[in-house]
């Protein structure tokens, strides 16, 4: 947990923003005012990033929850629906494992991991200044909440529930919209890291 806060956390002092890094909004404001002092508007921008994170998370969670309700009501115990011939079908299954059906023997462990991810993102949200990172973490949060809801409330029991999956591409594992949100958020984080953009809004110059 401490290591995650160190990576994602925002520097608490002006000196911590050195070492070849600068926050774009602060640099722009400083240039406009003709001084080297950080912009006072930094923190309001940070609060707006928090709103984006939770808006994206809410949208991803709601979309996943509604899709699963429809699948359980209309598709479960029925033949698969062909969307693009044999290449893409909607087929309701219950998955006790992780994303894409892996590790069915470790349901409780995966539940604990999902809960830990949610806690870490929620704690570090106040230190978030980057819009792209807010979107990425929002996708992770919404996806984790979606599958965690299944783990808690679906059979066979609390923290052991099977996740509802229904998107079935040919020659690939069946998954759901929560899995898709998690994967998209992870890919975006990798791209942002390669570009040198940190969650606190600073950019690596080297």
């Amino acid at each position: 947990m401490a290591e995650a806060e160190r990576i994602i956390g925002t520097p608490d002092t002006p000196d911590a923003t050195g070492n070849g890094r600068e926050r774009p909004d602060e640099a722009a404001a400083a240039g406009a005012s003709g001084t080297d002092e950080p912009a006072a508007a930094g923190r309001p921008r940070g609060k707006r990033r928090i709103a984006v994170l939770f808006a994206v998370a809410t949208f991803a969670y709601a979309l996943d929850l509604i899709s699963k309700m429809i699948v359980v009501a209309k598709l479960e115990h029925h033949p698969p629906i062909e969307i693009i011939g044999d290449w893409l079908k909607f087929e309701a299954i219950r998955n006790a494992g992780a994303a894409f059906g892996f590790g069915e023997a470790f349901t409780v462990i995966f539940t604990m991991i999902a809960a830990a991810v949610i806690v870490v993102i929620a704690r570090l949200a106040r230190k978030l200044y980057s819009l792209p990172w807010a979107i990425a973490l929002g996708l992770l949060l919404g996806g984790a909440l979606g599958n965690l809801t299944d783990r808690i409330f679906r059979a066979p029991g609390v923290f052991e529930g099977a996740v509802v999956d229904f998107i079935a591409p040919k020659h690939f594992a069946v998954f759901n919209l929560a899995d898709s949100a998690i994967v998209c958020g992870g890919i975006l984080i990798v791209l942002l890291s390669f570009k040198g953009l940190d969650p606190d809004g600073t950019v690596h110059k080297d």
Side-chain angles (χ1 to χ4, degrees), residues 14 45 49 53 125:
R45 286 178 180 272
R49 301 302 183 259
L53 186 155

Side-chain angles (χ1 to χ4, degrees), residues 85-104:
D86 291 335
W87 290 98
L88 179 63
K89 298 179 181 180
F90 285 168
E91 179 180 8
I93 69 167
R94 296 295 181 109
N95 172 24
F100 307 112
F102 298 112
E104 294 188 4

